[in-house]
Amino acid sequence: MKKELNKNDRRYAYTHGVIKDAMLELLHETSFIEITVSALCRQAQVGRATFYTHYNNLTEVIEELVEDAIKATDRSSAKSVDGMREVARYLNTDHGLRELESKILLLPICQRVADNPKYNVLFKDTALSEYILSMIYRQEKDYQIAELKKYGLSEKEAEMLFTYMLTGAFAVNKAMGWKKDEEWMRVQRIILNFVCGGMETIEKLK
């Protein structure tokens, strides 16, 4: 069991930073399931005792990295349905990928987090997909459910719709290699028009 550490201590921050950076470097070369504590310690140039002073296992390193990635993502303008409608209207015009950057804050959070060059490698490792998705779900659940309830949905209905929207967005972007190109724009246009049409129907029924 790890001894209590002072998280405000510079040495603590430095050691965690070195270990997390080493994990990202290794993920560029191999899958998470093939990484060992020994390999990570060699990459980070720290001893196993140091590693176990700070972490119980490799999964805790990944958890911190995903938390860092989410914290580094601007969520201030993200609106579950209004944002999708705006992006849908945008994609239905002749705008290109470069102009889409102005609307990036309105995309689902899994797409925005994965855009960060530092953390993109996490999303490309299929062994981490379910874990990352569950973390994003926990982080976004309360906010997104509250947004969806504004359209007359019950708590349970909003939760199920959010689950569908998040897992769907994650699965599609995973299948497309977490990259944005012209094909991605065509697919997003279809999906967003489909979802927004469904939300309009829900509003009428409610």
Side-chain angles (χ1 to χ4, degrees):
M1 185 174 182
K2 304 191 303 295
K3 67 180 181 180
E4 194 66 29
L5 298 172
N6 179 7
K7 294 184 178 182
N8 295 318
D9 185 86
R10 288 184 179 180
R11 290 170 297 180
Y12 175 95
Y14 173 79
T15 302
H16 276 238
V18 166
I19 291 173
K20 287 186 289 186
D21 286 346
M23 176 64 81
L24 291 173
E25 291 165 3
L26 288 176
L27 287 171
H28 279 287
E29 304 168 2
T30 186
S31 172
F32 174 69
I33 58 176
E34 298 176 352
I35 295 174
T36 63
V37 171
S38 295
L40 180 60
C41 289
R42 285 195 298 272
Q43 187 73 23
Q45 297 184 351
V46 300
R48 288 175 63 90
T50 298
F51 174 85
Y52 283 113
T53 298
H54 291 265
Y55 297 98
N56 286 315
N57 50 55
L58 295 174
T59 302
E60 288 188 355
V61 182
I62 295 297
E63 183 174 345
E64 274 196 19
L65 281 168
V66 177
E67 288 177 350
D68 290 347
I70 294 174
K71 288 176 182 177
T73 303
D74 190 340
R75 300 155 70 193
S76 59
S77 299
K79 302 293 182 184
S80 58
V81 178
D82 291 340
M84 285 191 297
R85 284 173 172 161
E86 185 169 341
V87 176
R89 286 193 295 270
Y90 187 85
L91 291 176
N92 285 326
T93 66
D94 294 327
H95 292 95
L97 282 169
R98 182 172 297 178
E99 290 84 0
L100 182 61
E101 291 302 314
S102 65
K103 306 295 181 184
I104 199 69
L105 289 175
L106 299 172
L107 292 172
I109 189 169
C110 62
Q111 295 182 31
R112 288 180 284 121
V113 176
D115 275 342
N116 190 315
K118 180 175 181 178
Y119 302 109
N120 182 262
V121 67
L122 293 167
F123 289 79
K124 292 184 176 180
D125 191 326
T126 56
L128 296 174
S129 294
E130 290 300 320
Y131 186 73
I132 292 174
L133 181 58
S134 67
M135 285 194 67
I136 294 176
Y137 179 88
R138 292 195 301 272
Q139 291 273 348
E140 289 288 291
K141 179 181 175 182
D142 291 342
Y143 171 78
Q144 294 294 347
I145 287 177
E147 285 295 310
L148 290 169
K149 285 174 66 178
K150 294 177 181 178
Y151 295 85
L153 297 175
S154 68
E155 182 84 14
K156 189 64 175 180
E157 289 169 340
E159 181 181 356
M160 292 300 98
L161 184 55
F162 167 58
T163 300
Y164 168 80
M165 290 163 60
L166 177 62
T167 55
F170 193 98
V172 169
N173 282 273
K174 176 182 174 182
M176 301 189 77
W178 298 100
K179 60 183 179 181
K180 293 180 176 63
D181 52 22
E182 295 301 325
E183 182 183 11
W184 176 89
M185 286 189 69
R186 288 193 296 272
V187 171
Q188 294 301 312
R189 183 184 301 121
I190 293 170
I191 292 172
L192 289 172
N193 284 329
F194 176 80
V195 174
C196 291
M199 288 305 301
E200 290 175 4
T201 300
I202 287 174
E203 287 179 276
K204 292 176 182 177
L205 291 175
K206 294 294 181 179

